[in-house]
Amino acid sequence: MLGTGKVVIAQGGGPTPVVNASLFGVVREATRQLGHGTSIWGAQNGITGVLQERWIDLRNVKEQLWKQIAESPGAALGSCRKSLNPEEAVRAVSILRDNDVRYFFYIGGNDSMDTALKINQAALDLHHEMVCCGIPKTIDNDLPGTDHCPGFGSAARYMAQSTADLGADVRSLPTPVSILEVMGRDAGWLTAATLLARKNPGDAPHLIYVPEVPLTREKFLSDVQQVYDTHGWVVAAVAEGVKNKEGKRWGDRQDDRTADDFGHRLPGNVAATLANLVTSELGLRARGDKPGLLARSSAIMASPVDRLEAEEIGAFGFSRALKGNTGFMASIVRQQTKTYVVEYGSVPLENVANKVRLLPLGFVTDHRNDIRAEFRAYAEPLVGALVQHACLTDRGFNSANPATQGR
Amino acid sequence: MLGTGKVVIAQGGGPTPVVNASLFGVVREATRQLGHGTSIWGAQNGITGVLQERWIDLRNVKEQLWKQIAESPGAALGSCRKSLNPEEAVRAVSILRDNDVRYFFYIGGNDSMDTALKINQAALDLHHEMVCCGIPKTIDNDLPGTDHCPGFGSAARYMAQSTADLGADVRSLPTPVSILEVMGRDAGWLTAATLLARKNPGDAPHLIYVPEVPLTREKFLSDVQQVYDTHGWVVAAVAEGVKNKEGKRWGDRQDDRTADDFGHRLPGNVAATLANLVTSELGLRARGDKPGLLARSSAIMASPVDRLEAEEIGAFGFSRALKGNTGFMASIVRQQTKTYVVEYGSVPLENVANKVRLLPLGFVTDHRNDIRAEFRAYAEPLVGALVQHACLTDRGFNSANPATQGR
């Protein structure tokens, strides 16, 4: 334990519906273990707030407000997409040292773990004794070293339920082709989770395309035509980052001004692009929808398991940090039990930073347009139950007047 | 009362999250008033199912299933976008007459009321004594003769809550410009409802654009720049049908193969178009999101008031029909009381069919980029409470270390 120094927490990258549960988890555990007198600061807008010394005194936050904060989407401390250069890392650590900060928590995804790693390295270089801990957070579920990432289960629940809802709509009033765009530049985990909407054969989604598998124009059009010929309606879930054979994104935006500090350009509109293609090539009425950021900001659709784990992993991260460990990211370790049980662990930041864990191709079907049933066992415990829909046209009630059928 | 003839119910047009509550309302009341032996049929896929004699015997539906059906999105009987020609109207009524149908209910919006009117007229022409009743249903809220339309409150709740969610996200990690596309080809009611997300000045949405007010490129860019200069982030809610000065839709799709039987083309992607414009002209990172059909298919976000009214208006429609009235649409009449109270009434179908009730321009601010506070009194009772979000960057906590501020 590093004496009475301050605790600083910051949030980086895209928010999730449970990112503030992790914030609360760290604060809760720090208060419990160090006492109410402990200085716990938030840095506003991630590492930017450290560099600019924009602090928030988290001791002043009342318990009632914490409850609301923990359940609010958006990063309650503000977030950033700042890529730290070496000079900035040194400056940030100097500021943290001058403020006697001994525990530094960075809640974020791949890019944020890069920041956490740089801070940790700079602290070692400057001989500032400070524990630096990453708390995982990403709806993309693409951090290595953890069974899954807090935030994923909630966004997956939003997308899976939305797919089920959309399916109920489109089935009843065939558009007949509906393409649902799902966030995910490189990793297809979230798009794969739309599979959970399918309870019976023929349910939406009929087609699932992830960025890990190239999608040619011919393959796409032939898949859509085939599903349409079979069912008369089509719901396809498509990752925003799905690429053609040449590795070019279907929906990429050419404008570099949409790029963030890490060079990631905003994706284009793959659903709209593919819907236009379906109409022009197959002559079918097709529409694309794109809930986009709503998947990561709907607190109402948050998965209860995800929310609980997000808070617990924050608390665990603090406990582990208090033992003096540094340079690690807290992780979730799924137990080999019949029912779903997790424990928490840790992985070195250098094993995580800037690395992307893609969806294993083993989860993709041979036809490369769907996700295997095995994925359910992985994802269902994280997502929780969905609301099931019913209709009357599939239940054999349509025999009211058999005598006149087909007349 | 027209003896022991059959009751037929059909659903037309785009579904809503509560369209099946209205179906259940008719069935519930018919069963209550005529007894369990009454023949109640559903026609599959609206008027198409009448023409093709695809019936569903609704007496066979168990109570437990009704509960699930009433809360499911999508038209449980299937829907259609069929525009009836005079010969088809005569054929449909002949079929209804041959099946001794004495009560015909059509649950739908503007186009469906056109169908109901044609059926009613054909029945009169053929001297088939049959009550023809329209039950209003549209998320667009654009049917005349009723204070509001079942389905609107629920879709409005989805859009308003989504705007609040999006606001929490974008505020914490400025993109900095986020454009949210809202369904509504001609009427701005649903887009206007995003206003309910704004609890405090500066909250999302900062800008609201409805189809009733032309939007020039210059005006839009200047509005966005101004909000950005003031707040540092922008959330704009834009109706899919918003038009430029020449009356051309910003997001129109040129392909006529996206048109339905009524000649309505699928709208294009106004949010994507405007986001690209913001990036190219203002140099700001901008993204467009478009939940599209999800707004009308999320049963989880349904407004409790809307759900109740949807069922009640179905039941009321049946009661009124049983009295022998025909050629009417059931309507909602808001009472001039301090708290929100409604009664149900009726309007002649010819006053409703093919007519569109636009958002009154009096609800639009002088700057033509926002909705007046008066709209809240109209919409809030229909939408119900939203989940409020909190963050830590706006509460004066940022004084942890005033001595070093700005260093």
Side-chain angles (χ1 to χ4, degrees):
Chain A
M1 178 166 161
L2 303 172
T4 55
K6 291 195 188 71
V7 177
V8 161
I9 313 169
Q11 297 171 309
T16 79
V18 299
V19 64
N20 299 316
S22 289
L23 168 64
F24 175 62
V26 177
V27 172
R28 189 198 79 186
E29 195 62 16
T31 307
R32 197 177 73 81
Q33 298 217 26
L34 300 181
H36 280 275
T38 311
S39 282
I40 308 174
W41 287 358
Q44 290 194 44
N45 297 101
I47 198 64
T48 315
V50 174
L51 289 167
Q52 300 174 350
E53 299 193 60
R54 292 189 290 113
W55 312 111
I56 293 175
D57 191 341
L58 297 176
R59 285 177 305 185
N60 295 339
V61 181
K62 294 282 180 293
E63 190 155 336
Q64 191 52 39
L65 179 58
W66 269 127
K67 199 181 141 47
Q68 197 190 357
I69 292 287
E71 299 192 350
S72 289
L77 295 171
S79 187
C80 71
R81 292 199 185 282
K82 169 84 186 147
S83 178
L84 218 51
N85 66 39
E87 294 72 32
E88 289 168 327
V90 167
R91 190 150 58 85
V93 170
S94 304
I95 291 169
L96 292 169
R97 184 186 55 195
D98 293 352
N99 283 289
D100 195 28
V101 176
R102 298 296 179 151
Y103 302 96
F104 180 72
F105 294 88
Y106 212 57
I107 305 170
N110 319 63
D111 296 337
S112 300
M113 292 308 140
D114 172 67
T115 298
L117 180 64
K118 285 172 177 166
I119 291 291
N120 191 55
Q121 194 53 54
L124 294 172
D125 293 347
L126 294 180
H127 305 292
H128 173 49
E129 209 177 341
M130 179 179 80
V131 167
C132 183
C133 166
I135 305 290
K137 167 251 32 139
T138 170
I139 64 163
D140 293 331
N141 203 37
D142 61 351
L143 283 165
T146 183
D147 177 75
H148 56 279
C149 305
F152 168 67
S154 294
R157 186 152 181 261
Y158 179 99
M159 287 312 314
Q161 184 68 57
S162 293
T163 304
D165 297 348
L166 184 63
D169 186 295
V170 178
R171 174 179 56 186
S172 78
L173 178 64
T175 289
V177 179
S178 186
I179 299 167
L180 185 63
E181 183 167 329
V182 186
M183 287 191 95
R185 249 186 334 245
D186 301 304
W189 296 96
L190 193 57
T191 307
T194 61
L195 174 71
L196 302 185
R198 192 192 303 150
K199 291 297 168 187
N200 298 299
D203 283 355
H206 305 104
L207 299 165
I208 302 176
Y209 299 108
V210 295
E212 288 84 352
V213 180
L215 176 64
T216 66
R217 172 194 160 102
E218 294 68 31
K219 165 76 173 157
F220 174 70
L221 289 172
S222 138
D223 284 353
V224 168
Q225 185 70 56
Q226 198 172 330
V227 173
Y228 178 71
D229 292 343
T230 308
H231 298 293
W233 60 290
V234 185
V235 170
V238 183
E240 60 182 5
V242 80
K243 296 166 193 74
N244 67 14
K245 220 161 38 184
E246 288 72 41
K248 196 179 154 302
R249 289 204 185 103
W250 272 97
D252 214 8
R253 281 167 78 179
Q254 299 311 311
D255 199 323
D256 275 333
R257 284 171 296 184
T258 72
D260 68 10
D261 211 31
F262 291 90
H264 306 314
R265 277 204 300 237
L266 279 176
N269 299 282
V270 61
T273 304
L274 293 177
N276 283 333
L277 191 64
V278 166
T279 300
S280 66
E281 297 303 309
L282 304 181
L284 296 173
R285 203 170 191 246
R287 65 173 289 147
D289 288 325
K290 179 194 177 193
L293 298 184
L294 299 180
R296 74 178 197 199
S297 59
S298 171
I300 290 172
M301 283 306 301
S303 150
V305 165
D306 187 35
R307 192 182 285 296
L308 180 69
E309 290 179 351
E311 186 179 326
E312 285 183 348
I313 200 169
F316 172 85
F318 184 83
S319 294
R320 175 65 58 106
L322 201 61
K323 292 181 182 149
N325 295 49
T326 189
F328 71 94
M329 181 187 82
S331 67
I332 301 178
V333 186
R334 190 188 301 227
Q335 302 303 293
Q336 300 295 326
T337 45
K338 215 168 165 186
T339 53
Y340 175 77
V341 177
V342 298
E343 292 189 357
Y344 300 96
S346 66
V347 285
L349 279 171
E350 59 261 33
N351 293 5
V352 179
N354 293 310
K355 295 198 172 67
V356 175
R357 183 185 61 156
L358 299 178
L359 183 77
L361 289 180
F363 280 136
V364 179
T365 60
D366 292 342
H367 289 300
R368 301 161 75 86
N369 58 14
D370 204 352
I371 298 298
R372 287 185 201 278
E374 289 84 339
F375 183 77
R376 290 180 190 270
Y378 171 80
E380 269 175 350
L382 321 178
V383 169
L386 303 180
V387 175
Q388 299 296 311
H389 303 315
C391 76
L392 293 163
T393 51
D394 63 348
R395 292 180 175 254
F397 295 127
N398 42 342
S399 54
N401 196 9
T404 59
Q405 287 279 331
R407 166 167 92 168
Chain B
M1 177 165 164
L2 303 171
T4 56
K6 291 195 188 69
V7 177
V8 161
I9 312 169
Q11 297 172 309
T16 79
V18 299
V19 64
N20 299 316
S22 290
L23 168 63
F24 175 63
V26 177
V27 172
R28 189 199 79 188
E29 195 62 17
T31 308
R32 197 178 73 82
Q33 298 217 26
L34 301 181
H36 279 275
T38 311
S39 281
I40 308 175
W41 286 359
Q44 289 193 45
N45 296 102
I47 199 64
T48 315
V50 174
L51 289 167
Q52 300 173 350
E53 300 194 59
R54 292 190 290 114
W55 312 112
I56 293 176
D57 191 339
L58 298 177
R59 285 177 306 187
N60 296 340
V61 181
K62 296 278 180 295
E63 189 156 335
Q64 192 51 40
L65 179 58
W66 269 126
K67 201 181 137 49
Q68 199 191 357
I69 291 286
E71 298 193 351
S72 288
L77 295 172
S79 188
C80 71
R81 292 200 186 280
K82 168 85 186 147
S83 179
L84 218 52
N85 67 38
E87 293 72 33
E88 289 168 327
V90 166
R91 189 149 59 85
V93 169
S94 304
I95 291 169
L96 293 169
R97 184 186 56 197
D98 293 352
N99 283 289
D100 194 28
V101 176
R102 298 296 179 151
Y103 302 96
F104 180 72
F105 294 88
Y106 212 58
I107 304 170
N110 318 64
D111 296 336
S112 300
M113 293 307 139
D114 171 67
T115 298
L117 179 64
K118 285 171 177 166
I119 291 292
N120 191 55
Q121 193 53 54
L124 293 172
D125 292 347
L126 294 179
H127 303 293
H128 173 49
E129 208 176 344
M130 179 179 79
V131 166
C132 183
C133 165
I135 305 290
K137 167 250 33 135
T138 168
I139 64 163
D140 293 331
N141 204 37
D142 61 351
L143 284 164
T146 182
D147 178 74
H148 56 279
C149 305
F152 168 66
S154 294
R157 185 151 181 263
Y158 180 99
M159 287 312 313
Q161 184 67 57
S162 293
T163 304
D165 297 348
L166 184 64
D169 186 297
V170 178
R171 175 179 55 186
S172 78
L173 178 64
T175 291
V177 180
S178 187
I179 298 167
L180 185 63
E181 183 168 329
V182 186
M183 288 193 93
R185 248 184 336 244
D186 300 305
W189 295 97
L190 193 56
T191 307
T194 61
L195 174 71
L196 302 186
R198 193 192 303 149
K199 292 296 168 186
N200 298 299
D203 282 354
H206 305 104
L207 299 165
I208 303 176
Y209 299 107
V210 294
E212 288 84 351
V213 180
L215 176 64
T216 66
R217 173 192 159 100
E218 295 68 30
K219 164 77 173 157
F220 173 70
L221 290 171
S222 137
D223 285 353
V224 168
Q225 185 69 57
Q226 198 172 330
V227 173
Y228 179 71
D229 291 344
T230 307
H231 298 292
W233 60 290
V234 185
V235 170
V238 183
E240 61 182 3
V242 79
K243 297 167 194 73
N244 67 13
K245 220 162 37 184
E246 288 73 40
K248 194 179 155 303
R249 288 203 185 104
W250 272 97
D252 214 7
R253 280 169 77 178
Q254 298 311 311
D255 198 324
D256 275 334
R257 285 171 295 184
T258 72
D260 67 10
D261 211 31
F262 291 90
H264 306 314
R265 275 205 300 239
L266 278 176
N269 300 283
V270 61
T273 304
L274 293 178
N276 284 333
L277 191 64
V278 167
T279 300
S280 66
E281 296 303 308
L282 304 181
L284 295 172
R285 202 170 191 247
R287 63 173 291 146
D289 287 325
K290 179 195 178 192
L293 299 184
L294 299 179
R296 75 179 195 198
S297 58
S298 171
I300 291 172
M301 283 306 301
S303 150
V305 165
D306 188 33
R307 193 181 284 295
L308 181 69
E309 290 179 352
E311 185 179 328
E312 285 184 348
I313 201 169
F316 172 85
F318 185 83
S319 294
R320 175 65 58 104
L322 201 61
K323 292 182 180 147
N325 296 49
T326 189
F328 71 94
M329 181 186 83
S331 66
I332 301 178
V333 186
R334 190 188 300 227
Q335 302 302 294
Q336 299 296 324
T337 45
K338 215 168 165 185
T339 54
Y340 175 76
V341 176
V342 297
E343 291 188 358
Y344 300 96
S346 66
V347 284
L349 279 171
E350 60 260 34
N351 293 5
V352 180
N354 293 310
K355 294 197 173 68
V356 174
R357 183 184 62 155
L358 299 178
L359 183 77
L361 290 180
F363 280 137
V364 179
T365 61
D366 291 342
H367 290 300
R368 302 162 74 87
N369 58 15
D370 204 353
I371 298 298
R372 286 186 202 278
E374 288 85 339
F375 183 79
R376 290 180 190 269
Y378 171 80
E380 268 174 351
L382 320 178
V383 170
L386 303 179
V387 175
Q388 298 298 310
H389 304 314
C391 76
L392 292 163
T393 50
D394 63 349
R395 292 178 175 257
F397 295 127
N398 44 343
S399 54
N401 195 8
T404 60
Q405 288 278 332
R407 166 166 92 166

